[in-house]
Amino acid sequence: MLGTFFVLLYAAHHLSDYPLAYDHQAAHKADRTLAGWKTNFVHAGTHILTTAALLAAATWLLPDVHPTTLGCTVALAWIGASHSFIDRRWAVRWWMEHTGQRGYLQHGGALTVDQAAHIGLGLLPAAFALTAL
């Protein structure tokens, strides 16, 4: 079941980060202003809603998929919170500056590290929650 949940979360993540994300969100979700926080929360909310929709569809369409209410609640909360935190960008920048990746950061590597963080620190724990709870 872990694999099924992870694939659903992975698909929801990519849908939310690319075709369902606006240029304005990409440009301003890390701004240190009230508008930046609002943009960040709207983007994280897109992730929560998209993930919830895919989980609901899978529950309805796939006979073996039965996530619990607790599992869904924990997973959706974690996805929203972790996505919002990672997208503030300072943590990714800090990581890259303190782990010998300054050159990679200067050459556009932040997007790759950002996506790795979303997958390893956001989606995977959420998939474990959906499986275990």
Side-chain angles (χ1 to χ4, degrees):
M1 199 54 38
L2 177 63
T4 300
F5 285 132
F6 184 78
V7 168
L8 289 167
L9 299 181
Y10 190 74
H13 172 79
H14 280 280
L15 287 169
S16 300
D17 248 9
Y18 299 106
L20 297 177
Y22 303 104
D23 289 343
H24 176 80
Q25 290 174 338
H28 299 288
K29 63 188 174 187
D31 290 355
R32 294 181 179 185
T33 64
L34 183 59
W37 278 105
K38 180 181 174 187
T39 301
N40 180 279
F41 288 147
V42 169
H43 180 61
T46 300
H47 279 269
I48 292 168
L49 291 174
T50 304
T51 303
L54 287 186
L55 287 171
T59 301
W60 184 61
L61 295 170
L62 302 174
D64 295 338
V65 176
H66 304 289
T68 66
T69 302
L70 177 61
C72 286
T73 301
V74 169
L76 292 171
W78 182 254
I79 285 169
S82 66
H83 200 89
S84 180
F85 175 77
I86 292 165
D87 274 2
R88 295 302 290 168
R89 297 191 178 134
W90 69 266
V92 169
R93 185 175 300 111
W94 183 93
W95 176 264
M96 294 181 80
E97 289 174 348
H98 291 85
T99 60
Q101 297 179 328
R102 287 179 191 266
Y104 191 36
L105 176 62
Q106 293 171 352
H107 292 95
L111 176 61
T112 305
V113 174
D114 168 271
Q115 289 301 303
H118 286 308
I119 292 165
L121 303 175
L123 303 181
L124 190 58
F128 277 118
L130 284 163
T131 304
L133 300 177

